[in-house]
């Protein structure tokens, strides 16, 4: 037992020292009134972040924002919520694991909805969840995907339920 303890302690230390960990949020759909502030907050939270300890919530981000900093994210321990945005590409291409230790609305590990542009044009066209097509583990919870009608569907979800 003692060996086991020190082993898990070691792996925890390893995990912490190797990964850039950041806290998530639990704001759901409530947003700051200022769109600039909303974007700056998102960037500040997740720039250089690899593991989100909590929920990754991307809401009320307008068009033409540079979201490339989201590429660093590899894992989210809670849920992922993408809603009320107007950008057309979401570069979460390195996200591999959503643990779902917390679920959106008590049910969803991944919830993507109402990403329209104000001019009625397509909203989110490209999810950029490249890892989703390769190997994506959602360890708990369901998925709610609601993309804009008429949008060429770039998303092919290959989901593997893993008991890990
Ligand atoms: C977005 O930001 C990254 C660095 O954060 C930069 O390398 C890239 O050129 C930017 N892209 C655009 C379109 O501005």
């Amino acid at each position: 037992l003692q060996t086991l303890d020190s082993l898990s302690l070691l792996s925890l230390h390893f995990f912490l020292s190797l990964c850039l960990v950041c806290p998530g949020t639990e704001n759901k759909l409530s947003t700051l009134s200022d769109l600039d502030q909303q974007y700056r907050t998102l960037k500040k939270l997740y720039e250089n972040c690899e593991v989100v300890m909590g929920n990754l919530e991307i809401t009320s981000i307008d068009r033409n924002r540079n979201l490339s900093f989201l590429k660093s994210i590899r894992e989210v321990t809670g849920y992922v919520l993408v809603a009320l945005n107007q950008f057309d590409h979401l570069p979460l291409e390195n996200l591999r694991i959503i643990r779902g230790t917390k679920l959106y609305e008590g049910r969803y590990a991944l919830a993507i909805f109402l990403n329209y542009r104000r001019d009625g044009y397509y909203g989110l066209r490209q999810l950029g969840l490249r890892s989703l097509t390769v190997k994506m583990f959602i360890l708990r919870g369901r998925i709610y995907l609601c993309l804009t009608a008429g949008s060429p569907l770039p998303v092919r979800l290959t989901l593997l339920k893993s008991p890990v």
Side-chain angles (χ1 to χ4, degrees), residues 37-52:
Q37 189 61 35
Q38 187 78 10
Y39 172 74
R40 276 200 301 271
T41 305
L42 190 75
K43 187 164 179 179
K44 200 170 153 194
L45 276 169
Y46 300 117
E47 196 162 36
N48 299 317
C49 177
E50 292 178 1
V51 178
V52 179

PDB file of all heavy atoms in Angstrom, residues 37-52:
ATOM      1  N   GLN A  37     -13.984  42.593 -23.381  1.00  0.00           N
ATOM      2  CA  GLN A  37     -13.622  42.053 -22.078  1.00  0.00           C
ATOM      3  C   GLN A  37     -13.818  40.536 -22.043  1.00  0.00           C
ATOM      4  O   GLN A  37     -13.006  39.800 -21.495  1.00  0.00           O
ATOM      5  CB  GLN A  37     -14.486  42.737 -20.999  1.00  0.00           C
ATOM      6  CG  GLN A  37     -14.075  42.423 -19.586  1.00  0.00           C
ATOM      7  CD  GLN A  37     -12.659  42.862 -19.281  1.00  0.00           C
ATOM      8  OE1 GLN A  37     -12.202  43.891 -19.780  1.00  0.00           O
ATOM      9  NE2 GLN A  37     -11.942  42.090 -18.487  1.00  0.00           N
ATOM     10  N   GLN A  38     -14.892  40.091 -22.677  1.00  0.00           N
ATOM     11  CA  GLN A  38     -15.198  38.672 -22.745  1.00  0.00           C
ATOM     12  C   GLN A  38     -14.054  37.914 -23.429  1.00  0.00           C
ATOM     13  O   GLN A  38     -13.614  36.866 -22.961  1.00  0.00           O
ATOM     14  CB  GLN A  38     -16.511  38.488 -23.528  1.00  0.00           C
ATOM     15  CG  GLN A  38     -17.042  37.077 -23.550  1.00  0.00           C
ATOM     16  CD  GLN A  38     -17.749  36.686 -22.262  1.00  0.00           C
ATOM     17  OE1 GLN A  38     -18.011  37.519 -21.400  1.00  0.00           O
ATOM     18  NE2 GLN A  38     -18.037  35.417 -22.121  1.00  0.00           N
ATOM     19  N   TYR A  39     -13.565  38.458 -24.520  1.00  0.00           N
ATOM     20  CA  TYR A  39     -12.473  37.829 -25.260  1.00  0.00           C
ATOM     21  C   TYR A  39     -11.173  37.884 -24.455  1.00  0.00           C
ATOM     22  O   TYR A  39     -10.454  36.896 -24.349  1.00  0.00           O
ATOM     23  CB  TYR A  39     -12.279  38.517 -26.616  1.00  0.00           C
ATOM     24  CG  TYR A  39     -11.051  38.042 -27.356  1.00  0.00           C
ATOM     25  CD1 TYR A  39     -11.031  36.790 -27.963  1.00  0.00           C
ATOM     26  CD2 TYR A  39      -9.897  38.825 -27.409  1.00  0.00           C
ATOM     27  CE1 TYR A  39      -9.896  36.330 -28.617  1.00  0.00           C
ATOM     28  CE2 TYR A  39      -8.769  38.379 -28.064  1.00  0.00           C
ATOM     29  CZ  TYR A  39      -8.768  37.134 -28.670  1.00  0.00           C
ATOM     30  OH  TYR A  39      -7.646  36.676 -29.310  1.00  0.00           O
ATOM     31  N   ARG A  40     -10.898  39.034 -23.901  1.00  0.00           N
ATOM     32  CA  ARG A  40      -9.650  39.177 -23.119  1.00  0.00           C
ATOM     33  C   ARG A  40      -9.614  38.222 -21.934  1.00  0.00           C
ATOM     34  O   ARG A  40      -8.579  37.640 -21.623  1.00  0.00           O
ATOM     35  CB  ARG A  40      -9.493  40.621 -22.628  1.00  0.00           C
ATOM     36  CG  ARG A  40      -8.870  41.537 -23.669  1.00  0.00           C
ATOM     37  CD  ARG A  40      -8.298  42.790 -23.018  1.00  0.00           C
ATOM     38  NE  ARG A  40      -9.316  43.545 -22.302  1.00  0.00           N
ATOM     39  CZ  ARG A  40     -10.071  44.494 -22.870  1.00  0.00           C
ATOM     40  NH1 ARG A  40      -9.908  44.804 -24.130  1.00  0.00           N
ATOM     41  NH2 ARG A  40     -10.974  45.139 -22.170  1.00  0.00           N
ATOM     42  N   THR A  41     -10.751  38.063 -21.290  1.00  0.00           N
ATOM     43  CA  THR A  41     -10.837  37.141 -20.157  1.00  0.00           C
ATOM     44  C   THR A  41     -10.556  35.711 -20.599  1.00  0.00           C
ATOM     45  O   THR A  41      -9.801  34.982 -19.952  1.00  0.00           O
ATOM     46  CB  THR A  41     -12.239  37.217 -19.504  1.00  0.00           C
ATOM     47  OG1 THR A  41     -12.496  38.571 -19.167  1.00  0.00           O
ATOM     48  CG2 THR A  41     -12.328  36.363 -18.257  1.00  0.00           C
ATOM     49  N   LEU A  42     -11.144  35.323 -21.716  1.00  0.00           N
ATOM     50  CA  LEU A  42     -10.951  33.977 -22.249  1.00  0.00           C
ATOM     51  C   LEU A  42      -9.472  33.736 -22.553  1.00  0.00           C
ATOM     52  O   LEU A  42      -8.899  32.708 -22.204  1.00  0.00           O
ATOM     53  CB  LEU A  42     -11.780  33.806 -23.529  1.00  0.00           C
ATOM     54  CG  LEU A  42     -11.886  32.392 -24.089  1.00  0.00           C
ATOM     55  CD1 LEU A  42     -12.843  31.563 -23.254  1.00  0.00           C
ATOM     56  CD2 LEU A  42     -12.348  32.398 -25.535  1.00  0.00           C
ATOM     57  N   LYS A  43      -8.865  34.724 -23.186  1.00  0.00           N
ATOM     58  CA  LYS A  43      -7.463  34.593 -23.565  1.00  0.00           C
ATOM     59  C   LYS A  43      -6.563  34.505 -22.337  1.00  0.00           C
ATOM     60  O   LYS A  43      -5.652  33.684 -22.270  1.00  0.00           O
ATOM     61  CB  LYS A  43      -7.056  35.775 -24.442  1.00  0.00           C
ATOM     62  CG  LYS A  43      -5.672  35.624 -25.002  1.00  0.00           C
ATOM     63  CD  LYS A  43      -5.408  36.558 -26.139  1.00  0.00           C
ATOM     64  CE  LYS A  43      -3.974  36.349 -26.608  1.00  0.00           C
ATOM     65  NZ  LYS A  43      -3.610  37.198 -27.725  1.00  0.00           N
ATOM     66  N   LYS A  44      -6.855  35.337 -21.377  1.00  0.00           N
ATOM     67  CA  LYS A  44      -6.062  35.344 -20.153  1.00  0.00           C
ATOM     68  C   LYS A  44      -6.163  34.002 -19.421  1.00  0.00           C
ATOM     69  O   LYS A  44      -5.186  33.490 -18.893  1.00  0.00           O
ATOM     70  CB  LYS A  44      -6.557  36.480 -19.256  1.00  0.00           C
ATOM     71  CG  LYS A  44      -5.560  36.902 -18.201  1.00  0.00           C
ATOM     72  CD  LYS A  44      -6.026  38.179 -17.534  1.00  0.00           C
ATOM     73  CE  LYS A  44      -5.484  38.251 -16.124  1.00  0.00           C
ATOM     74  NZ  LYS A  44      -6.163  39.282 -15.324  1.00  0.00           N
ATOM     75  N   LEU A  45      -7.370  33.442 -19.419  1.00  0.00           N
ATOM     76  CA  LEU A  45      -7.584  32.169 -18.731  1.00  0.00           C
ATOM     77  C   LEU A  45      -6.859  31.007 -19.406  1.00  0.00           C
ATOM     78  O   LEU A  45      -6.306  30.149 -18.738  1.00  0.00           O
ATOM     79  CB  LEU A  45      -9.082  31.841 -18.692  1.00  0.00           C
ATOM     80  CG  LEU A  45      -9.936  32.434 -17.586  1.00  0.00           C
ATOM     81  CD1 LEU A  45     -11.406  32.199 -17.894  1.00  0.00           C
ATOM     82  CD2 LEU A  45      -9.574  31.834 -16.242  1.00  0.00           C
ATOM     83  N   TYR A  46      -6.877  30.989 -20.738  1.00  0.00           N
ATOM     84  CA  TYR A  46      -6.476  29.751 -21.416  1.00  0.00           C
ATOM     85  C   TYR A  46      -5.211  29.831 -22.256  1.00  0.00           C
ATOM     86  O   TYR A  46      -4.787  28.822 -22.794  1.00  0.00           O
ATOM     87  CB  TYR A  46      -7.637  29.243 -22.264  1.00  0.00           C
ATOM     88  CG  TYR A  46      -8.847  28.953 -21.411  1.00  0.00           C
ATOM     89  CD1 TYR A  46     -10.022  29.654 -21.583  1.00  0.00           C
ATOM     90  CD2 TYR A  46      -8.773  28.013 -20.388  1.00  0.00           C
ATOM     91  CE1 TYR A  46     -11.122  29.413 -20.765  1.00  0.00           C
ATOM     92  CE2 TYR A  46      -9.856  27.765 -19.568  1.00  0.00           C
ATOM     93  CZ  TYR A  46     -11.022  28.469 -19.762  1.00  0.00           C
ATOM     94  OH  TYR A  46     -12.089  28.229 -18.947  1.00  0.00           O
ATOM     95  N   GLU A  47      -4.618  30.978 -22.369  1.00  0.00           N
ATOM     96  CA  GLU A  47      -3.378  31.069 -23.119  1.00  0.00           C
ATOM     97  C   GLU A  47      -2.321  30.213 -22.407  1.00  0.00           C
ATOM     98  O   GLU A  47      -2.154  30.303 -21.201  1.00  0.00           O
ATOM     99  CB  GLU A  47      -2.918  32.527 -23.198  1.00  0.00           C
ATOM    100  CG  GLU A  47      -1.880  32.737 -24.275  1.00  0.00           C
ATOM    101  CD  GLU A  47      -1.755  34.213 -24.632  1.00  0.00           C
ATOM    102  OE1 GLU A  47      -1.879  35.060 -23.721  1.00  0.00           O
ATOM    103  OE2 GLU A  47      -1.536  34.505 -25.818  1.00  0.00           O
ATOM    104  N   ASN A  48      -1.679  29.377 -23.154  1.00  0.00           N
ATOM    105  CA  ASN A  48      -0.667  28.456 -22.629  1.00  0.00           C
ATOM    106  C   ASN A  48      -1.208  27.412 -21.659  1.00  0.00           C
ATOM    107  O   ASN A  48      -0.463  26.823 -20.896  1.00  0.00           O
ATOM    108  CB  ASN A  48       0.468  29.213 -21.913  1.00  0.00           C
ATOM    109  CG  ASN A  48       1.179  30.138 -22.848  1.00  0.00           C
ATOM    110  OD1 ASN A  48       1.468  29.768 -23.998  1.00  0.00           O
ATOM    111  ND2 ASN A  48       1.452  31.346 -22.397  1.00  0.00           N
ATOM    112  N   CYS A  49      -2.475  27.189 -21.696  1.00  0.00           N
ATOM    113  CA  CYS A  49      -3.068  26.195 -20.812  1.00  0.00           C
ATOM    114  C   CYS A  49      -3.198  24.863 -21.547  1.00  0.00           C
ATOM    115  O   CYS A  49      -3.625  24.812 -22.687  1.00  0.00           O
ATOM    116  CB  CYS A  49      -4.448  26.667 -20.355  1.00  0.00           C
ATOM    117  SG  CYS A  49      -5.291  25.458 -19.331  1.00  0.00           S
ATOM    118  N   GLU A  50      -2.828  23.809 -20.872  1.00  0.00           N
ATOM    119  CA  GLU A  50      -2.949  22.486 -21.485  1.00  0.00           C
ATOM    120  C   GLU A  50      -4.071  21.670 -20.853  1.00  0.00           C
ATOM    121  O   GLU A  50      -4.770  20.936 -21.525  1.00  0.00           O
ATOM    122  CB  GLU A  50      -1.631  21.725 -21.365  1.00  0.00           C
ATOM    123  CG  GLU A  50      -0.537  22.355 -22.211  1.00  0.00           C
ATOM    124  CD  GLU A  50       0.798  21.655 -22.065  1.00  0.00           C
ATOM    125  OE1 GLU A  50       0.886  20.659 -21.326  1.00  0.00           O
ATOM    126  OE2 GLU A  50       1.752  22.134 -22.687  1.00  0.00           O
ATOM    127  N   VAL A  51      -4.178  21.807 -19.553  1.00  0.00           N
ATOM    128  CA  VAL A  51      -5.225  21.064 -18.854  1.00  0.00           C
ATOM    129  C   VAL A  51      -6.122  22.035 -18.100  1.00  0.00           C
ATOM    130  O   VAL A  51      -5.669  22.783 -17.242  1.00  0.00           O
ATOM    131  CB  VAL A  51      -4.618  20.044 -17.854  1.00  0.00           C
ATOM    132  CG1 VAL A  51      -5.715  19.319 -17.095  1.00  0.00           C
ATOM    133  CG2 VAL A  51      -3.729  19.056 -18.588  1.00  0.00           C
ATOM    134  N   VAL A  52      -7.381  22.038 -18.459  1.00  0.00           N
ATOM    135  CA  VAL A  52      -8.341  22.889 -17.769  1.00  0.00           C
ATOM    136  C   VAL A  52      -8.923  22.086 -16.608  1.00  0.00           C
ATOM    137  O   VAL A  52      -9.583  21.068 -16.808  1.00  0.00           O
ATOM    138  CB  VAL A  52      -9.483  23.338 -18.717  1.00  0.00           C
ATOM    139  CG1 VAL A  52     -10.483  24.209 -17.973  1.00  0.00           C
ATOM    140  CG2 VAL A  52      -8.911  24.082 -19.915  1.00  0.00           C
TER     141      VAL A  52
END
